Amino acid sequence: MASSDDSGPGVALITGASRGIGLAIAADLVAAGFQVAITARDADRLAQARQALPPDAVVSSIAADLTEPDAPQRILEQVVATLGPPRVLVNNAGSAPSERFDKTVLADLDTALALHVRAPFLLLQAALPSLRAAPRSCAVQIASTAGLTGFPFTSAYTAAKHGMVGLCRALAAEFGSKPPRVYAVCPGFVDTEITRQAATEIAARGSKTFDEAMEALGGMNRIGRMHRPAEIAAAVLHLVREQPEGCVLDLDRKVPAFV
Ligand SMILES: NC(=O)c1ccc[n+]([C@@H]2O[C@H](COP(=O)([O-])OP(=O)(O)OC[C@H]3O[C@@H](n4cnc5c(N)ncnc54)[C@H](OP(=O)(O)O)[C@@H]3O)[C@@H](O)[C@H]2O)c1
C-alpha cells in the first residue's frame, strides 16, 4: 500500500469516473502521477474506463451506488485498503433527470439530494482524517451552474446542486487555512451522456433534431457553446495543483472566475 507522502502526488478518489467528466478527471490525475480510485454503479462500464486509462496506471475500481447511505464509508475503506489514504477527493458522480415541477415526485428530490449532497457530505467526513494528514490535500465537488442560478424543469437537481455549493462554502469557511482545500466547480452544459440523454428526450418530443437540441443546450451556456469534459478536468487539475484562494469556480465564463 502506498501513502501520499512517499509515492509521488498520492492517491485520488474520483466518484462517477466510468465516463464523462469523471473519466476525464481520472485521466488527467493519472497523467499527473496520481494513483486513482474510480467509482460508479455499473462494473462493466468501470472496466471499460479502466481500459481507457494507461495500462501502467495504478487504478482501483469500486462499484457502488452512492445513493445508499453506507456506500461512502465502504468506498473510503476500500480505497485506503487498496491504494492508501487519499490526498484528493473529487465528488463528481451525478445524474440530472429533467421534469416539470408538478410532476416531480418526492423520490426524485430524495435521489438528487442523496447523490449530490448526502454522498459528498459523507465522503468528505469519511476522508477528512486522511485529507487532514496529507500535504496540500484537496476536495473538489463537481457542481454546476445549476448550483448558482435557476433552470426550468430541474427543480430537484437545481436544489441539490445549490446544496452542494452551500456545503462547499460552509466547509471552506470552517476549515480556513487548514487542509483540505474545498472547491465547487460549476460548468454549464457539458457534452456527456447526461446532456445527450436530455437532447434525445427533446428530439423525441419532435420539435428539434438531436443535433439541433445539442446546439440549443450549448447555446444556453454563457460561453455560447457546450463545454468539453477535458475542459472541466483541466480546471480540476489546476485547482489540485495550484490551490488558489477561492471556493466556488464558475466555469461558464470566457475567463473562469471564483464567485
Ligand atoms: N453534463 C453536464 O452538462 C453537466 C453540467 C454541470 C455539471 N455536471 C455534473 O458533472 C457530474 C458528472 O456528470 P457527467 O456529465 O460526466 O455525467 P455522466 O457521463 O452521465 O457520468 C455520470 C457518472 O456518475 C455515475 N453515477 C450516476 N449515478 C450514480 C449513483 N447513484 N451512484 C454512483 N455513481 C453514479 C455514473 O456511473 P453509473 O451510472 O454506472 O453509476 C457515471 O460514472 C455530475 O455531478 C453532473 O451533475 C454535468
Side-chain angles (χ1 to χ4, degrees), residues 15-23 39-43 45-46 64-68 75 91-96 111 115-116 142-146 157 161 164 185-196 221 226-227 229 232:
T15 68
S18 61
R19 58 178 189 255
I21 296 168
L23 179 55
T39 87
R41 288 167 301 182
D42 184 333
R45 289 296 296 265
L46 269 178
D65 184 344
L66 279 163
T67 62
E68 291 172 3
I75 289 171
N91 277 307
N92 165 78
S95 61
T111 300
L115 193 49
H116 300 282
I142 307 304
S144 167
T145 47
Y157 180 75
K161 286 299 192 189
M164 179 183 255
V185 171
C186 299
F189 286 99
V190 187
D191 186 355
T192 67
E193 279 192 27
I194 282 186
T195 311
R196 287 173 170 266
N221 286 351
M226 201 72 82
H227 294 285
I232 319 307

Side-chain angles (χ1 to χ4, degrees), residues 69-94:
D70 62 345
Q73 184 65 38
R74 276 192 286 116
I75 289 171
L76 205 274
E77 284 169 7
Q78 208 169 322
V79 175
V80 172
T82 53
L83 299 180
R87 171 162 91 80
V88 169
L89 166 63
V90 183
N91 277 307
N92 165 78

Side-chain angles (χ1 to χ4, degrees), residues 5 20 105-106 155 169 224 249 257:
D5 294 321
V105 297
L106 187 56
S155 53
R169 289 195 198 283
L249 184 63

